[in-house]
Amino acid sequence: MKEFIAKPAKPAPASIVGPVAWLRENLFSSPLNAITTLLFCAFIISIVPGLFDWFIWSADWAGTTQEACTSEGACWVFTSAWSQQLFYGSYTDGQIWRVNLCIISLFAIIYASTVVRADIRNKVIIPVFLILPFLWVILLNGSLIGLTHVSTDYWGGFALNILMAAASIIIAFPLSFLWALGRRSEMPFARSVCVLLIEFFRGVPVLALFFMGSVMLPFFFPEGWTVDKLIRVWIVLILFMSGYMAEVFRGGFQAIPQGQYEAADSIGLSYWQKNLLIILPQNIKVSMPNILATFIMLFKNTTFLLIIGIFEILSTTQTALTNSNWLGGHSTEGYVFVALLFWICCFSMSMISNSIERKLETSHRN
Amino acid sequence: MTTNNQATAPKKDKGDDMIVIEDLNKWYGSFHVLKDINLNVKKGERIVVCGPSGSGKSTMIRCINRLEVFQQGSLTVNGIAMIDDVKNIESIRREVGMVFQHFNLFPHLTILENLTIGPIWVQKKPKEEAEATAMKYLERVKIPDQALKFPGQLSGGQQQRVAIARSLCMAPEIMLFDEPTSALDPEMIKEVLDVMVELAEEEGMTMICVTHEMGFAKTVADRVIFMDGGEIVEENTPNEFFDHPETDRLQLFLSQII
């Protein structure tokens, strides 16, 4: 019988590999593409040097007062002079290590969750994650653990934006999964409660929710019973976030094939085992881009706290801008700085979520 | 081929009733999918169910582990009556393993984790014991070297063999196969059928298999059932079933598939 021998693979021709081929294919594939490329290059050349000059070259970097700002460029003296306010608000001097500890613990646990084994992650990291926001409250408040009491009136700055967003996301994540499960439930009562919660918190603007939380909610509390304004706002953020995330998870549920539920049922997993062990991990995988979008939205929405008088970064920037020693019109620097901080954080979140997606992807090669 | 199949598939002692289905009726909305189904399956019996698509054969076997709910009649699995109660359903599912047309492996877990998740979480076995059992069954289905890969990295035939091993790890009394080879490339059908034949002949497992693999039916089955329009039209030993069909409907069906 004739033997079949598979042909060896040949290298690809030079016309489809290499830098020149890449340029031709991606930047100059058609006249329209070439024109767009050239226009874009012209745009970059006309804009970037000026920006670079303002930002770095002719900017003022050294000094402590407004008088140090003499040149044409940006006055970064403003942001460095106000940096403590911008990052920590009016948190008591000498106690700022507590804020730093909170932020470090957040990044440490995020990093830890990416390097430890899966069973340690499930048994240790996730529970720690869930109690972390409460530890922050105890640490920042201080009176419970014998540290100097720092009232929430003094909490502020960019640290507050970060911690507020993180604390809300951490609690909203499991809560929204429960809501999404409830919405799919066959029990009419659970389903209608969840639908009501989701639609309410998703349908009302976040600003309106903040006002309700800060102004209206106290009327509903019993006489003499007060909850700190920041805690009320935290609850509002959690509920708002949960409304959005629940719908993200619902989309994820619908993307998971029915066969996965049936297979889980057929090997006898209970309702909770099925949803937590089989469905949730797959749901997170398909929902990752939307989950990230929701995180970023919530993080940026923390700047709205300014309107109800909480000293997050935008609010402290405004305070700095209206300070009598700094009335030189530094609003461009101030807001550019805030924008840059937010952008750096959001971009890092994007990168992290991309790497998580890639990590999850290897297990789904089909 | 048909004359000596009894010799290649020696009968183990067929004991008590494993599955008893009496006057089972099921509707999807107003559509009557299963009509007065009566079926007794003895311990160790191997049953092949065939019929045109939409005849209700998958629905019938999915009723046995409550992936489908029926409205009338009764169903008893290994002495446990199917009633609308979580505990009851869980104990029935513990008796019954199922293999699906599209494998339905858990894509986010490795092969080994796919096999141990049931024993660890449902049967509360220690991880080491569950893994040892899993490896034993992976060897039985001849892919122990794939244990640490993910389902997406395996071929269809390998995935289906893993799915069979996953069910076996739960030590079920009954195995249900819902068109296990229909989604496979022709070259992979045999490797899955071989595993199923081995399972039937060496383990004496009670099996109900929905399939159109008539060769499999002839070698392995004790009884072949033909369904159409939601009813059991005919059931017989493979010899009688293929050589002397009683109804014209089955005759027509056989003439078209063979």
Side-chain angles (χ1 to χ4, degrees):
Chain A
M1 194 188 293
K2 203 173 145 195
E3 192 187 356
F4 168 73
I5 300 167
K7 285 181 185 166
K10 291 180 202 156
S15 61
I16 60 165
V17 289
V20 176
W22 186 89
L23 279 178
R24 193 181 300 144
E25 189 179 339
N26 292 290
L27 299 180
F28 299 99
S29 62
S30 67
L32 184 66
N33 193 346
I35 291 171
T36 323
T37 303
L38 293 175
L39 279 179
F40 189 68
C41 288
F43 175 75
I44 289 177
I45 290 166
S46 64
I47 290 288
V48 166
L51 268 181
F52 190 76
D53 186 57
W54 183 83
F55 257 95
I56 297 167
W57 220 241
S58 34
D60 294 297
W61 294 88
T64 47
T65 61
Q66 187 164 217
E67 282 64 48
C69 291
T70 48
S71 65
E72 290 290 296
C75 177
W76 298 122
V77 181
F78 170 74
T79 48
S80 65
W82 285 94
S83 59
Q84 188 186 333
Q85 293 280 319
L86 291 177
F87 281 104
Y88 304 105
S90 355
Y91 202 80
T92 317
D93 277 335
Q95 300 295 322
I96 279 173
W97 62 270
R98 278 146 68 175
V99 186
N100 287 334
L101 189 61
C102 292
I103 304 256
I104 290 168
S105 68
L106 173 66
F107 288 119
I109 198 162
I110 291 173
Y111 176 73
S113 66
T114 61
V115 290
V116 298
R117 287 212 321 272
D119 54 332
I120 297 179
R121 189 179 63 221
N122 295 344
K123 284 182 193 132
V124 181
I125 304 278
I126 290 176
V128 171
F129 230 124
L130 289 176
I131 58 167
L132 203 57
F134 302 99
L135 296 179
W136 292 343
V137 172
I138 291 169
L139 181 66
L140 291 176
N141 180 287
S143 54
L144 255 180
I145 47 174
L147 294 167
T148 322
H149 176 252
V150 180
S151 150
T152 53
D153 297 341
Y154 298 104
W155 302 8
F158 195 53
L160 185 68
N161 291 74
I162 293 177
L163 293 177
M164 199 68 173
S168 311
I169 287 166
I170 289 169
I171 308 295
F173 202 87
L175 186 64
S176 59
F177 188 70
L178 288 182
W179 287 8
L181 270 183
R183 189 166 193 159
R184 295 168 59 81
S185 162
E186 283 164 17
M187 290 178 281
F189 180 71
R191 189 171 58 226
S192 35
V193 167
C194 289
V195 169
L196 209 68
L197 283 168
I198 292 168
E199 294 301 338
F200 177 77
F201 286 104
R202 214 166 53 112
V204 177
V206 67
L207 268 181
L209 288 175
F210 282 154
F211 280 121
M212 280 189 225
S214 69
V215 183
M216 277 170 54
L217 213 56
F219 293 127
F220 299 108
F221 289 145
E223 197 77 33
W225 203 70
T226 57
V227 174
D228 190 275
K229 181 157 98 180
L230 209 62
I231 303 288
R232 294 200 304 265
V233 169
W234 181 27
I235 294 171
V236 165
L237 273 177
I238 289 172
L239 295 173
F240 171 74
M241 178 79 181
S242 299
Y244 270 89
M245 287 280 296
E247 289 299 280
V248 168
F249 278 132
R250 187 160 74 111
F253 278 126
Q254 284 166 0
I256 295 170
Q258 191 59 31
Q260 292 291 311
Y261 295 91
E262 291 175 356
D265 282 339
S266 77
I267 61 171
L269 294 176
S270 72
Y271 178 81
W272 291 108
Q273 288 170 342
K274 173 174 68 178
N275 279 300
L276 294 177
L277 299 171
I278 306 298
I279 305 303
L280 178 64
Q282 299 188 53
N283 194 334
I284 289 177
K285 193 234 155 198
V286 288
S287 307
M288 204 59 207
N290 292 331
I291 290 174
L292 181 80
T294 320
F295 281 8
I296 288 180
M297 177 196 70
L298 181 93
F299 181 44
K300 295 194 297 184
N301 277 353
T302 56
T303 53
F304 286 149
L305 295 175
L306 144 121
I307 294 190
I308 49 166
I310 285 168
F311 287 99
E312 50 70 58
I313 189 168
L314 216 51
S315 177
T316 45
T317 308
Q318 289 193 342
T319 315
L321 288 172
T322 51
N323 185 289
S324 55
N325 292 329
W326 290 91
L327 287 175
H330 302 295
S331 49
T332 314
E333 288 89 338
Y335 292 126
V336 163
F337 183 67
V338 172
L340 209 61
L341 281 181
F342 271 95
W343 181 80
I344 289 169
C345 288
C346 293
F347 188 66
S348 318
M349 281 157 79
S350 274
M351 303 302 277
I352 292 172
S353 96
N354 282 350
S355 84
I356 294 174
E357 266 177 72
R358 271 197 303 275
K359 206 167 158 184
L360 294 175
E361 198 51 49
T362 54
S363 53
H364 292 73
R365 255 187 283 158
N366 259 323
Chain B
M1 173 83 188
T2 50
T3 50
N4 67 350
N5 69 72
Q6 293 305 318
T8 56
K11 281 209 166 62
K12 297 252 166 78
D13 54 323
K14 308 288 178 195
D16 309 324
D17 287 336
M18 206 60 179
I19 301 171
V20 182
I21 302 177
E22 280 173 337
D23 296 323
L24 186 143
N25 280 280
K26 175 178 172 57
W27 288 265
Y28 282 129
S30 58
F31 178 62
H32 198 173
V33 248
L34 292 178
K35 299 171 184 161
D36 299 323
I37 302 288
N38 282 289
L39 181 66
N40 269 35
V41 182
K42 301 244 183 269
K43 186 173 170 55
E45 211 176 2
R46 279 100 55 166
I47 297 203
V48 163
V49 184
C50 60
S53 58
S55 59
K57 51 198 192 308
S58 283
T59 311
M60 181 182 79
I61 71 163
R62 286 157 60 90
C63 282
I64 296 170
N65 66 348
R66 185 79 179 199
L67 291 181
E68 301 284 352
V69 182
F70 56 87
Q71 285 83 24
Q72 271 178 19
S74 73
L75 197 158
T76 312
V77 178
N78 205 9
I80 311 165
M82 174 77 78
I83 51 168
D84 193 2
D85 172 80
V86 178
K87 283 271 160 281
N88 197 268
I89 295 165
E90 280 176 4
S91 48
I92 286 183
R93 282 179 178 160
R94 239 169 274 144
E95 310 280 326
V96 183
M98 185 157 196
V99 174
F100 299 87
Q101 183 178 1
H102 296 288
F103 332 136
N104 297 349
L105 295 177
F106 305 129
H108 61 298
L109 301 177
T110 62
I111 300 307
L112 195 59
E113 287 166 341
N114 264 280
L115 265 62
T116 53
I117 192 166
I120 289 175
W121 289 89
V122 180
Q123 299 173 337
K124 313 286 179 204
K125 282 191 183 159
K127 193 171 175 228
E128 292 71 29
E129 191 191 326
E131 284 181 352
T133 316
M135 287 312 294
K136 188 183 93 186
Y137 282 112
L138 278 182
E139 259 155 53
R140 177 81 49 87
V141 299
K142 300 179 186 67
I143 35 176
D145 47 328
Q146 310 285 352
L148 298 178
K149 289 193 181 168
F150 287 96
Q153 296 165 286
L154 268 56
S155 73
Q158 290 172 324
Q159 289 194 43
Q160 192 60 297
R161 285 184 282 152
V162 171
I164 294 172
R166 176 174 69 181
S167 292
L168 292 176
C169 281
M170 299 296 290
E173 292 280 343
I174 302 158
M175 285 284 279
L176 306 175
F177 293 84
D178 190 359
E179 306 206 24
T181 54
S182 309
L184 295 175
D185 289 344
E187 286 186 312
M188 294 169 179
I189 291 177
K190 188 174 176 300
E191 64 185 51
V192 171
L193 287 180
D194 285 348
V195 167
M196 290 168 60
V197 170
E198 210 181 291
L199 192 66
E201 292 178 350
E202 289 173 16
E203 305 273 322
M205 178 74 75
T206 312
M207 288 166 65
I208 302 184
C209 183
V210 173
T211 185
H212 293 133
E213 293 296 328
M214 291 306 145
F216 175 78
K218 283 173 188 165
T219 29
V220 170
D222 296 312
R223 255 191 297 164
V224 185
I225 289 174
F226 175 67
M227 287 183 75
D228 188 30
E231 311 178 43
I232 294 180
V233 178
E234 208 171 319
E235 57 173 294
N236 220 326
T237 58
N239 286 343
E240 290 297 306
F241 186 88
F242 292 109
D243 300 343
H244 308 288
E246 286 167 12
T247 57
D248 53 346
R249 182 66 191 89
L250 176 55
Q251 210 155 29
L252 179 70
F253 180 75
L254 290 175
S255 71
Q256 277 166 354
I257 61 165
I258 294 176

